[in-house]
Structures are given as C-alpha cells and as structure tokens.
Amino acid sequence: MTEQRASNDLRIAIAGLGSIGTKIATALDQGIEGLTLSAVAVRDPAKYQAFLNGLRRPPRVVPIEELGDAADIVVECAPSRNLRAIVEPAVKRGRAAVVVSVGALLDNADLIDVARANGGRIIVPTGALIGLDAVNAAAIGTIHSVKMVTRKPIDGLKGAPFIVENNIDIDNLREPLKLFEGTAREAAKGFPANLNVAVALSLAGVGPDRTLVQIWADPTVTRNVHRIEVESDSARFAMSIENIPSENPKTGLITALSVIALLRKQRATLCVGT
C-alpha cells in the first residue's frame, strides 16, 4: 500500500535554493501528503551539497532545462533573469510551473501561450500579499481601481535599477522618501526584486497597466509593508500586511510559506480559498 501511494505522488522540482527554495525543499522533505521532492537545479551544486545531504531523501541535482522531465510541478524561485529557462521547458512538456519571480512574467507573457498549446500550467502563488482571493472574485465583476502602496526598509531596496539609474541616495535617509509612482508594469521594470507582489496583484485584477503603485524607502520600518485599496462594483476593500523579511531582505518570509501552502493544496482533501 505504501509503495502504491508513493507511485501516485506528484513529483516536485525546485529551481534555486536561496532563502525561498531551501524552505520549500525542507518542507517537502519533512513530508507533504501526496508530494515528493524529486529534483533541484542550482548554479553551484557544491555550495548546496551539505544542505542536500542533510535531507532525509536527497533529490537529484539536474540542469535547469531537465527539471520538466524530472517533475510534475517545477517551482521557480531563482533570480528573475532565469525565469524563461526554467518555465519554458517545463510547460512545453505539459508540466505545471509555480512562478515566484512573477514580475519577469510580464516580459515573457508568451509563455502563457506556450503553456496553453502544450497542456502546461503557470501558477502564481499569493506570495507576500493577502486578499488575492477577494481581488480574483471582484474581477469576475468590474473592478474600477486598484492601488498599492509599498514601504520597505532601506536594505530591501538597495541596488534596484530605478534607484541606480536615477542616482538616488537612500543610504542616509532619516524620513520616508517616495521613490516611485506609476503602473505595476513600470514598477516591475524599476524594482524587479521587490515588486512581484504588485504584478501578482495586477494579474489577479485589472492588469499591470491599470494597477497603480507607490514605492517608499522608509527608514522607520523594519518590515515590508503593503497596503492595497480596491474599488469594484461588488465591494470596496482595503488590505494591509507587514511582512518580516527573510534572510534575503528583498523577500518576505511569508513568500516561501505561501508556496508551501499552494503545494499542500495540490493533493489536499479539503481546500480553503479559491
């Protein structure tokens, strides 16, 4: 009976073993019903050998382009520049790809058509936001406006292309500074490591060109703070969340937990939320 269950497990592969990938790999290794960690892809396998050896059932280490052969679901949690190399081979094989670097999906939107043509799926986890269920539901009707205001500690914004290109000094701030105001599409280009949340919000609602975003560098906060306001024909609602940064200050700790929650739903008997 045990062997039969194992043979029916969904195979999960992970691209990237940073702060997000290691937590997902650990959770899968500790046991999620109906799922097995089958493979990982990393740029420097030797760097992660100790971590992998510490797992109860170490997965295979394979090249990025082979993840789709080794798994039913490929989880992308690598630098955003690698999105296409991870997702395209998987969806061409009819696999599902869970995309964490959702901001990069805007520049690779044709992958949705590739997935559709080959029976693959692209799944965006809730990540660092709350309320995407409500936005999804409101979008069935008519959403009039969506606005998100993000405030981040200084360390979480350093190196963002928008800051570098505009030569903005944020190191010595003593009060909040509004860095950017514009659309989610523009925000994703200027802050690719910070604004996956805005793109996920836009895809759930009115799209990246109608979702308005403000970004603040705020020395008074220690968490990544997001406030969302939605006006629709079915409801008016506002949501706020303060995410504790992970080991990577650009990424909230809850992001990895969101992917784990999504994976749990794949074989769960009871699923809560749309």
Side-chain angles (χ1 to χ4, degrees), residues 7 10 16 18 27 38 56 77 88 96 102 104 107 111 116 143 157 184 192 195 210 217 223 226 252 267 271:
S7 68
L10 286 173
S38 61
R56 293 184 301 178
C77 39
E88 187 171 27
V102 62
D107 291 327
L111 289 175
R116 183 181 295 112
I143 294 179
L157 289 162
L195 265 297
R210 289 183 54 206
R223 300 184 178 191
H226 307 291
R267 283 289 171 85
C271 289

Side-chain angles (χ1 to χ4, degrees), residues 6 66 99 137 203 211:
E66 294 180 16
V99 172
L203 294 177
T211 301

Side-chain angles (χ1 to χ4, degrees), residues 6-248:
S7 68
N8 289 332
D9 281 357
L10 286 173
R11 299 168 302 153
I12 312 298
I14 300 173
L17 287 176
S19 59
I20 298 174
T22 51
K23 288 181 176 60
I24 298 168
T26 300
L28 286 164
D29 187 63
Q30 291 174 346
I32 297 178
E33 185 177 358
L35 307 181
T36 298
L37 177 61
S38 61
V40 299
V42 289
R43 184 176 58 183
D44 182 4
K47 179 180 177 181
Y48 300 98
Q49 200 57 55
F51 169 76
L52 294 171
N53 289 342
L55 299 177
R56 293 184 301 178
R57 298 176 60 187
R60 289 190 293 142
V61 179
V62 303
I64 279 178
E65 63 272 11
E66 294 180 16
L67 289 174
D69 287 330
D72 304 296
I73 300 175
V74 175
V75 181
E76 175 277 316
C77 39
S80 59
R81 63 181 177 274
N82 296 324
L83 176 97
R84 189 172 200 95
I86 296 164
V87 173
E88 187 171 27
V91 297
K92 276 188 172 179
R93 291 169 171 82
R95 312 302 192 194
V98 176
V99 172
V100 173
S101 304
V102 62
L105 198 56
L106 295 185
D107 291 327
N108 295 276
D110 64 298
L111 289 175
I112 300 170
D113 295 324
V114 174
R116 183 181 295 112
N118 292 278
R121 299 177 69 208
I122 296 175
I123 305 170
V124 177
T126 298
L129 285 183
I130 59 173
L132 279 193
D133 277 5
V135 179
N136 269 318
I140 299 298
T142 301
I143 294 179
H144 304 304
S145 64
V146 180
K147 179 181 179 181
M148 185 175 93
V149 178
T150 289
R151 296 177 180 271
K152 286 202 167 192
I154 305 304
D155 285 347
L157 289 162
K158 286 181 178 179
F162 182 89
I163 294 174
V164 173
E165 290 165 9
N166 290 281
N167 198 28
I168 302 172
D169 180 12
I170 61 173
D171 289 324
N172 301 306
L173 285 182
R174 296 187 177 181
E175 58 185 29
L177 172 68
K178 184 168 73 172
L179 297 172
F180 172 88
E181 184 165 12
T183 68
R185 187 184 300 278
E186 294 165 338
K189 291 183 182 296
F191 300 85
N194 298 99
L195 265 297
N196 289 317
V197 288
V199 177
L201 174 66
S202 74
L203 294 177
V206 293
D209 297 310
R210 289 183 54 206
T211 301
L212 301 181
V213 177
Q214 281 186 11
I215 303 170
W216 292 71
D218 193 337
T220 70
V221 300
T222 58
R223 300 184 178 191
N224 302 325
V225 182
H226 307 291
R227 179 175 172 81
I228 299 99
E229 299 175 355
V230 179
E231 289 270 359
S232 76
D233 62 352
S234 61
R236 173 191 301 158
F237 52 96
M239 308 167 281
S240 62
I241 185 169
E242 298 181 9
N243 295 317
I244 298 172
S246 66
E247 296 89 340
N248 178 353

Side-chain angles (χ1 to χ4, degrees), residues 245-268:
S246 66
E247 296 89 340
N248 178 353
K250 295 179 174 63
T251 303
L253 184 61
I254 201 170
T255 301
L257 304 182
S258 172
V259 177
I260 294 167
L262 184 153
L263 291 174
R264 287 183 183 276
K265 280 187 174 184
Q266 303 307 304
R267 283 289 171 85

